Amino acid sequence: MLLTPGPTPVPEFVRKAMADVTIHHRTPEFEKIFEETRELLFELYGMDEVVMLASSGSGAMEACVTNLTKKKALTVNSGKFGERFGKICKAFDIEYTEIKNEWNTPVSVDAILEAVKNDSEIDAIFIQLCESAGGLRHPVEEIAKEVKKLNKDITIVADGITAIGVEKIDTTNLDAVITGSQKALMLPPGLAVIGLSNDAVSKIEENAKGFYFNLATEIKKQRTNTTAWTAATTLIIGLKEILAHIKKNGGFDALYEKTALRAKATREALTAIGCEVFPATPANAMTTIYTENAPEIRKILKTKYNVNIAGGQDHIKKLIFRVNHMGLVEDFEATWVVNAIELAMDELKLRDFDGTASKVFSQAMFKGN
Ligand SMILES: *Cc1c(COP(=O)(O)O)cnc(C)c1O
């Protein structure tokens, strides 16, 4: 049972759709698939433009940094992925300022406003909607709204790799929203998507940078339902399949509601057995628990109960575990994982087993408590 917050399991109907013969990317057949996928992405994003890139999520992060920063970037580092925006700036000699916090602490709106007020060179802000390193939700929409009041020309780039497909994002004040295939979109890794505002498209056209990740070239091509370089055809076929499936089975809002309920039920179940939720503002993509017993709990889950959950990275590598809520998680899987965690805690003599976790989970998930 794969319950890591990325990669997530690829549903069987998607795998089957991707198992068909490879089609040439410069054909009317593929252009039609590309067009339909684009339309579904427009519905998912609710933004003015979308581009698909044959790369992992980090490629889209790089493309946004290089194409959307003219003078100076402001990056938010509350974990591994926020830190990555700074590393990308450094790699391209792009000037940047970083706001750094503990991995369980969201950036404040005021800290961002202060940084922007104090430095008129900043023309782009890079931040995670959900910082997956700790499962932390940043107040991105509020930040974007306040920054735009101050200066509407500042570009807001949100990494939504563990947010798009998880919850409805208000993209009103966002200029670029990134996602990747192997998290909430339930595909194999290798495809990235960027949703863009018209303002972002204009800025890209004035400031296009790079070759492979030149977004001006991509936007121009993709508006005609083709790609600048060879498209990730198989993954795009899979993307069309999963998005069409979600739309047909209750729609995106139903998926967001189910994910939110699963996240809430999991948090309630685990806190009821004495677990400590790590982030101050948990995102719905995953539940992150802070415990010195994380490695032992994960080991018992994997060897005895057939559940694969994630640990942490860097300084909290052995101090957290993360349970995925993204995608089409089966109810029986979500119910089983909290029960298995309670059993593991019993084995480690942290708490006697009495079935509280699965009871609390079931109450919240199925009985509407
Ligand atoms: C997974 C992830 C990334 C990195 O994506 P890759 O596909 O591994 O390049 C970036 N940001 C967030 C928030 C992620 O969860």
Side-chain angles (χ1 to χ4, degrees), residues 56-58 61 81 84 128 130 132 159 161-162 182-183:
S56 87
S58 303
M61 292 171 75
F81 297 106
R84 186 166 304 173
Q128 273 61 39
C130 166
S132 315
D159 168 358
I161 296 181
T162 49
Q182 79 277 24
K183 310 272 172 85

Coordinates of all heavy atoms in Angstrom, one line a residue, residues 56-58 61 81 84 128 130 132 159 161-162 182-183, ligand 1:
S56 N 10.3 17.0 -14.5 CA 9.7 16.8 -13.2 C 9.3 18.2 -12.7 O 9.5 19.2 -13.4 CB 10.6 16.1 -12.2 OG 11.5 17.0 -11.6
G57 N 8.6 18.3 -11.6 CA 8.1 19.6 -11.1 C 9.2 20.7 -11.0 O 9.0 21.8 -11.2
S58 N 10.4 20.2 -10.6 CA 11.5 21.2 -10.5 C 11.8 21.9 -11.8 O 12.3 23.1 -11.7 CB 12.8 20.5 -9.9 OG 12.5 19.8 -8.7
M61 N 9.6 24.8 -11.9 CA 10.1 25.8 -10.9 C 11.2 26.6 -11.5 O 11.2 27.9 -11.5 CB 10.6 25.1 -9.6 CG 9.6 24.4 -8.8 SD 10.3 23.4 -7.4 CE 10.7 24.6 -6.2
F81 N 11.5 22.5 -0.3 CA 11.1 22.9 -1.7 C 11.2 24.4 -1.8 O 11.5 25.0 -2.9 CB 9.7 22.3 -2.0 CG 9.7 20.8 -2.1 CD1 9.2 20.1 -1.0 CD2 10.4 20.2 -3.1 CE1 9.3 18.7 -1.1 CE2 10.5 18.8 -3.2 CZ 9.9 18.1 -2.2
R84 N 14.6 25.3 -2.5 CA 15.0 25.0 -3.9 C 14.8 26.3 -4.8 O 15.7 26.5 -5.7 CB 14.1 23.8 -4.5 CG 14.6 23.4 -5.8 CD 14.0 22.1 -6.2 NE 14.3 21.0 -5.2 CZ 13.8 19.8 -5.2 NH1 13.0 19.4 -6.1 NH2 14.2 18.9 -4.3
Q128 N 5.6 28.2 -1.8 CA 4.8 26.9 -1.9 C 3.4 27.1 -1.4 O 3.2 27.8 -0.4 CB 5.5 25.8 -1.1 CG 6.5 25.0 -1.8 CD 7.7 25.8 -2.2 OE1 8.2 26.8 -1.5 NE2 8.3 25.5 -3.4
C130 N 1.6 24.4 -0.6 CA 1.9 23.4 0.4 C 3.3 23.1 0.4 O 3.8 22.6 -0.7 CB 1.0 22.1 0.2 SG 1.6 20.7 1.2
S132 N 5.8 20.7 1.0 CA 5.7 19.2 1.3 C 6.7 18.7 2.3 O 6.5 17.6 2.8 CB 5.8 18.4 0.0 OG 5.1 19.0 -1.1
D159 N 4.1 27.4 -6.0 CA 4.4 26.0 -6.3 C 3.2 25.2 -5.7 O 3.1 25.1 -4.5 CB 5.7 25.6 -5.6 CG 6.0 24.1 -5.6 OD1 5.1 23.3 -6.0 OD2 7.1 23.7 -5.1
I161 N 2.5 22.0 -6.3 CA 2.7 20.6 -6.7 C 2.0 19.6 -5.8 O 1.5 18.6 -6.2 CB 4.3 20.3 -6.8 CG1 4.9 21.1 -7.9 CG2 4.5 18.8 -7.0 CD1 6.4 20.9 -8.1
T162 N 1.8 20.0 -4.5 CA 1.0 19.2 -3.6 C -0.3 20.0 -3.2 O -0.8 19.9 -2.1 CB 1.7 18.7 -2.4 OG1 2.4 19.8 -1.8 CG2 2.7 17.6 -2.7
Q182 N 3.4 13.4 -10.5 CA 3.4 12.3 -9.6 C 2.8 12.5 -8.2 O 3.0 11.6 -7.4 CB 4.9 11.8 -9.5 CG 5.8 12.5 -8.6 CD 6.4 13.7 -9.2 OE1 5.9 14.3 -10.1 NE2 7.5 14.2 -8.6
K183 N 2.2 13.6 -8.0 CA 1.6 13.9 -6.7 C 0.1 13.7 -6.8 O -0.4 12.7 -7.1 CB 2.0 15.2 -6.2 CG 3.5 15.5 -6.2 CD 4.3 15.0 -5.0 CE 5.8 15.1 -5.2 NZ 6.4 16.3 -4.8
Ligands
LIG1 C1 7.6 17.1 -5.1 C2 7.7 18.5 -5.0 C3 8.5 19.3 -5.8 C4 9.6 18.7 -6.7 O1 9.1 18.1 -7.7 P1 10.0 17.1 -8.6 O2 9.0 16.5 -9.4 O3 10.6 16.1 -7.6 O4 11.0 17.8 -9.3 C5 8.5 20.7 -5.7 N1 7.7 21.3 -4.8 C6 6.8 20.6 -4.0 C7 6.0 21.3 -3.1 C8 6.8 19.2 -4.1 O5 6.0 18.5 -3.3

